[in-house]
């Protein structure tokens, strides 16, 4: 049945050459763990992408139940964990995945740095990777407030105070993040919008550019 559907679409859009161009790409020998034990360090990038996909899918599930206002935010999270089927599992995946994706990305960044994979001709890809790291940190920071419990509010307050110490743009960053003098309803709404719309859009665009450049330049050589 699936083959018939594929054949029907392929007959009209000729998608097989595009798929073959992706699937038939040769992987260098030095990233094959069967030949080189050190090849496992090349898995950090793929693991980061895999966890990111889990974060996106679990986040979509959580967004269907979350209420981004100070009256109902905590109650919606409580309902999700205690009343929705598998809700506690999905939220746990999203919660721990938020930390794990940072760890994997940090290890991937270390691998690229110490193996010199940021050098010519991959300088631009290194810059894009650093921007992705920044977006991931932003996702972690904005998502921390969303459960709207005391721990989240006070941790966000500390984070905004740190942002305020940035030279020149500190006061602007504080006003932008808090949307006022105190952390309140507008802050929660703004963090929700940044976490769900703006940063994911930036992340997808940067990841697309990252993968295109990897495809164009190939995987970097061994140390």
């Amino acid at each position: 049945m699936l083959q018939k559907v594929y054949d029907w679409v392929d007959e009209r859009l000729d998608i097989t050459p595009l798929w073959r161009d992706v699937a038939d790409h040769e992987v260098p020998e030095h990233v094959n763990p069967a030949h080189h034990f050190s090849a496992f360090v090349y898995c950090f990038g793929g693991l980061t992408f895999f966890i990111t996909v889990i974060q996106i899918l679990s986040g979509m599930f959580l967004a269907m139940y979350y209420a981004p206002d100070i009256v109902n935010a905590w109650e919606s999270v409580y309902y999700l964990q205690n009343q929705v089927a598998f809700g506690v599992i999905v939220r746990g995946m999203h919660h721990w995945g938020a930390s794990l994706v940072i760890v994997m990305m940090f290890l991937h960044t270390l691998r690229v740095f110490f193996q010199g994979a940021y050098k010519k001709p991959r300088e631009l890809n290194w810059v894009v990777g650093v921007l992705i790291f920044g977006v991931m940190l932003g996702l972690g920071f904005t998502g921390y407030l969303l459960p709207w419990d005391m721990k989240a509010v006070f941790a966000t307050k500390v984070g905004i105070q740190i942002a305020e110490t940035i030279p020149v743009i500190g006061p602007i960053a504080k006003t932008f993040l808090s949307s006022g003098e105190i952390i309140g309803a507008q802050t929660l709404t703004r963090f929700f919008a940044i976490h769900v719309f703006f940063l994911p859009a930036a992340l997808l665009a940067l990841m697309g550019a990252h993968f295109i450049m990897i495809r164009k330049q190939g995987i970097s050589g061994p140390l």
Side-chain angles (χ1 to χ4, degrees), residues 1-12 15-16:
M1 181 61 183
L2 292 177
Q3 184 63 42
K4 290 182 178 179
V5 173
Y6 178 85
D7 293 339
W8 186 88
V9 174
D10 186 51
E11 183 180 358
R12 286 153 180 79
I15 61 176
T16 296

Side-chain angles (χ1 to χ4, degrees), residues 177-190:
L177 291 172
S178 62
S179 187
E181 295 299 323
I182 62 172
I183 298 176
Q186 290 295 326
T187 311
L188 180 63
T189 303
R190 178 158 297 188

Side-chain angles (χ1 to χ4, degrees), residues 153-221:
V153 172
F154 282 106
T156 302
K157 182 178 180 180
V158 172
I160 292 177
Q161 289 174 344
I162 293 174
E164 189 178 11
T165 62
I166 301 175
V168 182
I169 65 171
I172 299 175
K174 175 183 179 297
T175 302
F176 173 76
L177 291 172
S178 62
S179 187
E181 295 299 323
I182 62 172
I183 298 176
Q186 290 295 326
T187 311
L188 180 63
T189 303
R190 178 158 297 188
F191 271 52
F192 176 77
I194 294 173
H195 185 77
V196 174
F197 298 111
F198 294 98
L199 289 181
L203 178 64
L204 292 177
L206 290 170
M207 287 179 63
H210 194 59
F211 291 144
I212 289 174
M213 284 186 278
I214 291 175
R215 177 69 176 177
K216 183 72 174 179
Q217 298 170 340
I219 300 175
S220 60

Side-chain angles (χ1 to χ4, degrees), residues 1 16 22-23 34 38 51 53 99 108 137 157 168 176 200 221:
M1 181 61 183
T16 296
V22 174
S38 61
I51 300 171
V53 172
S99 298
H108 177 59
L137 293 174
K157 182 178 180 180
V168 182
F176 173 76

Side-chain angles (χ1 to χ4, degrees), residues 65-67 69-83 146-148:
Y65 295 94
Y66 181 73
D69 64 82
I70 59 175
V71 176
N72 299 303
W74 188 88
E75 285 79 0
S76 66
V77 174
Y78 181 86
Y79 173 79
L80 171 70
Q81 288 204 156
N82 295 277
Q83 301 296 327
L146 300 187
W148 197 249

Side-chain angles (χ1 to χ4, degrees), residues 5-61:
V5 173
Y6 178 85
D7 293 339
W8 186 88
V9 174
D10 186 51
E11 183 180 358
R12 286 153 180 79
L13 300 179
D14 193 26
I15 61 176
T16 296
L18 298 175
W19 169 248
R20 291 300 180 190
D21 183 57
V22 174
D24 293 343
H25 184 66
E26 184 177 355
V27 178
E29 183 179 346
H30 67 273
V31 301
N32 187 347
H35 296 89
H36 298 276
F37 176 75
S38 61
F40 76 93
V41 298
Y42 288 89
C43 297
F44 295 139
L47 289 172
T48 301
F49 174 71
F50 176 72
I51 300 171
T52 300
V53 172
I54 293 177
Q55 289 300 97
I56 293 173
L57 295 177
S58 60
M60 292 169 64
F61 178 86

